Amino acid sequence: MPALDLAASPARDRAPFRRPWLVELRATLALSGPLVLINLAQHGLIMADVVMLGRLGAEPLAAATLAHGLYFILFIGGIGLTSAVAPLIAEALGRDPGDRDAARRTLRAGLWAATLVCAPVMLLLWFTGPLLAALGEPPALAEAAGRYMRVLQWAMWPALLFMALRGTLAALERPAWALAASLAALPLNVALGLWLAFEAGLGMVGIGCATLASSLFSLVLLGLVVLRDPGLRRHRLFHGLWRFDPARLGRVVRLGLPMVATGLAEAGLFEAAALAMGLFGASQLAAHAVAIQIAAFCFMVPNGVAQAATVRVGLAFGRRDAAAVRRAGAVALGLALGFMSLCALTQLSVPEPLIGLFLDARDPANAGVLPVAVAFIGFAALFAVADGIQSVTLGMLRGLQDTKVPMLIAVGGYWGLGVPVGAGLAWGLGFEGAGIWAGFCAGLFVVAALLVARWRRLVAGPPARRPERPTVSISTP
């Protein structure tokens, strides 16, 4: 990576203080708003599945949680590659707003990367049942999770292609169509899932079929929009789609692989927790599923802000505008901090109504789950703020195309600290699931603090006495 020297600011940054900050706030809100809603709509698909699975009973919910955990840890790895599309396009457009080839070639490379990664991943997912059984999960849960996965896994390829398209539209600052496709897929998923699971009697498998259908639907709909919308047609995004471009694919892979490792480090932490919860019994695993869904739903907002921050920082980085880089990061970080603080207060104040969205409190079978879920939500509230900060700071750093050091921070924080702390508390001190959640908190707080320090180090100015620090030269026009 070239050096990041953000000391020099363009002359236009001597404008009155308020206007640039208000302009940046409006631009970030305008871009992050649709991206947040897209994340909420897509997570709404997951939450709808969890609600329907919860109505099938605690054991189907527990089995599906195991399957979802394995699916999403690999899916997030694929997202890491497709996430390289947005910062590369944003940087190119910041450097030359008239460059139409950058979006087309980078999207094409992202689609190729998503396709190439899906084949081995889906082969692995086919053996989910035997894999979970080998890891010590109860045989009945492992068998049910494997049966569910053999339908769910086919949704991965269209979902990753959709993510590449969504990143492209975000970099072009046209995210509304991706939002429309996501919103249209949500009622389809719910209606089809209810009919297949309960009316047709397919149970878990029916819910998996609905997820697959909604993923295909949203991809096809967004593809049609790209072909028909006049503002997008001029970019010829699908022109030469099957042409193999090793140079551009190499750029996507080089930037994306550290993102893959970062995503896998975090997702792996949560998947390890789900596997550990299964060893403590179905009640703790079901409670964990509820708490993690509530936490993940809140996380969709800073995740959308992070995606907007990648684009806003990337555009400023392409212009070599140091002050705009700093403003974009500060605005995004402030939005995430405020929202996640509100989420934490809500989770601490009204945990029971939140749990009631997923589990029937009147059902005697859930009596052992409810108090455990309340305790887990308390821990989720503690790390909510740190989770938002680390997500947005990662997005800011990706806008600078800085992904390798953040990867090392994430791996070290989650697995070097979070996992040992969680395991020690869960088994060594007998706190079981609560100890696992305490490990989450420890890892997230450390990662968030180190990522913020990394950002400040890169944008603070020239490294007069630290030549080893990576820098990106931004000169005055």
Side-chain angles (χ1 to χ4, degrees):
M1 172 184 173
L4 262 191
D5 176 4
L6 296 171
S9 297
R12 62 179 173 269
D13 283 301
R14 292 193 290 268
F17 174 80
R18 285 188 179 180
R19 186 176 178 185
W21 285 87
L22 287 175
V23 168
E24 183 59 43
L25 176 61
R26 288 171 185 153
T28 301
L29 289 173
L31 180 56
S32 63
L35 293 173
V36 167
L37 292 175
I38 292 169
N39 289 336
L40 290 172
Q42 291 181 332
H43 192 69
L45 297 173
I46 302 169
M47 292 189 71
D49 287 353
V50 172
V51 170
M52 289 185 286
L53 289 161
R55 293 299 182 261
L56 290 172
E59 288 200 4
L61 176 59
T65 298
L66 292 174
H68 278 152
L70 184 57
Y71 175 90
F72 282 107
I73 189 174
L74 297 174
F75 180 59
I76 287 172
I79 288 177
L81 283 179
T82 60
S83 294
V85 168
L88 288 172
I89 294 176
E91 191 269 339
L93 294 178
R95 185 175 62 251
D96 179 8
D99 186 355
R100 296 182 182 179
D101 286 342
R104 174 176 53 81
R105 292 181 62 197
T106 305
L107 170 62
R108 183 173 62 201
L111 297 176
W112 270 96
T115 301
L116 293 173
V117 79
C118 267
V121 165
M122 291 175 67
L123 180 62
L124 174 64
L125 291 177
W126 187 261
F127 298 98
T128 294
L131 177 61
L132 291 175
L135 291 173
E137 296 298 332
L141 287 180
E143 192 275 332
R147 191 169 61 250
Y148 177 61
M149 181 68 84
R150 289 193 173 185
V151 177
L152 179 67
Q153 68 178 87
W154 297 102
M156 182 172 291
W157 187 47
L160 286 178
L161 297 182
F162 181 90
M163 296 299 291
L165 269 175
R166 189 187 78 170
T168 301
L169 297 186
L172 295 173
E173 299 189 277
R174 296 287 305 275
W177 283 119
L179 171 61
S182 298
L183 290 175
L186 183 55
L188 173 67
N189 179 73
V190 173
L192 192 58
L194 288 172
W195 182 76
L196 290 173
F198 297 98
E199 297 297 327
L202 295 180
M204 296 173 61
V205 172
I207 293 172
C209 290
T211 302
L212 170 59
S214 63
S215 294
L216 288 168
F217 174 78
S218 58
L219 174 63
V220 170
L221 184 58
L222 191 57
L224 290 174
V225 165
V226 168
L227 291 173
R228 302 288 297 175
D229 181 83
L232 295 173
R233 256 199 326 231
R234 63 190 181 89
H235 290 283
R236 301 188 306 158
L237 293 176
F238 291 154
H239 179 71
L241 189 62
W242 304 109
R243 189 177 303 157
F244 188 69
D245 185 348
R248 191 57 60 105
L249 179 60
R251 289 192 66 192
V252 168
V253 171
R254 282 192 298 275
L255 184 63
L257 279 180
M259 297 190 206
V260 172
T262 302
L264 290 178
E266 183 174 6
L269 180 67
F270 288 95
E271 174 60 12
L275 294 172
M277 293 292 179
L279 300 178
F280 296 134
S283 292
Q284 293 209 35
L285 183 55
H288 175 77
V290 171
I292 209 70
Q293 288 303 319
I294 293 170
F297 187 81
C298 293
F299 176 73
M300 293 301 103
V301 174
N303 192 34
V305 175
Q307 292 158 359
T310 297
V311 173
R312 295 299 303 165
V313 171
L315 289 169
F317 176 51
R319 297 193 305 269
R320 297 302 188 261
D321 188 338
V325 167
R326 297 187 187 101
R327 273 197 305 273
V331 167
L333 204 53
L335 290 172
L337 180 61
F339 178 81
M340 292 306 274
S341 297
L342 180 61
C343 283
L345 289 174
T346 303
Q347 291 174 51
L348 290 172
S349 301
V350 289
E352 290 86 357
L354 294 175
I355 296 167
L357 296 173
F358 298 90
L359 291 174
D360 186 358
R362 297 168 296 180
D363 187 346
N366 295 327
V369 179
L370 298 177
V372 181
V374 170
F376 289 174
I377 288 175
F379 280 106
L382 291 177
F383 79 75
V385 175
D387 203 18
I389 290 174
Q390 65 89 23
S391 174
V392 171
T393 310
L394 274 174
M396 292 150 50
L397 291 168
R398 288 169 180 173
L400 297 176
Q401 300 184 22
D402 178 44
T403 58
K404 292 181 181 178
V405 172
M407 171 194 70
L408 297 175
I409 290 172
V411 172
Y414 298 141
W415 289 91
L417 179 66
V419 169
V421 168
L425 292 173
W427 283 279
L429 297 180
F431 286 107
E432 297 188 343
I436 299 296
W437 275 85
F440 283 171
C441 293
L444 280 169
F445 273 105
V446 169
V447 169
L450 292 176
L451 288 174
V452 170
R454 171 70 176 173
W455 168 263
R456 294 185 64 182
R457 188 182 185 197
L458 290 180
V459 304
R465 288 175 293 181
R466 295 184 181 181
E468 77 281 2
R469 182 182 121 195
T471 63
V472 173
S473 181
I474 295 182
S475 58
T476 303

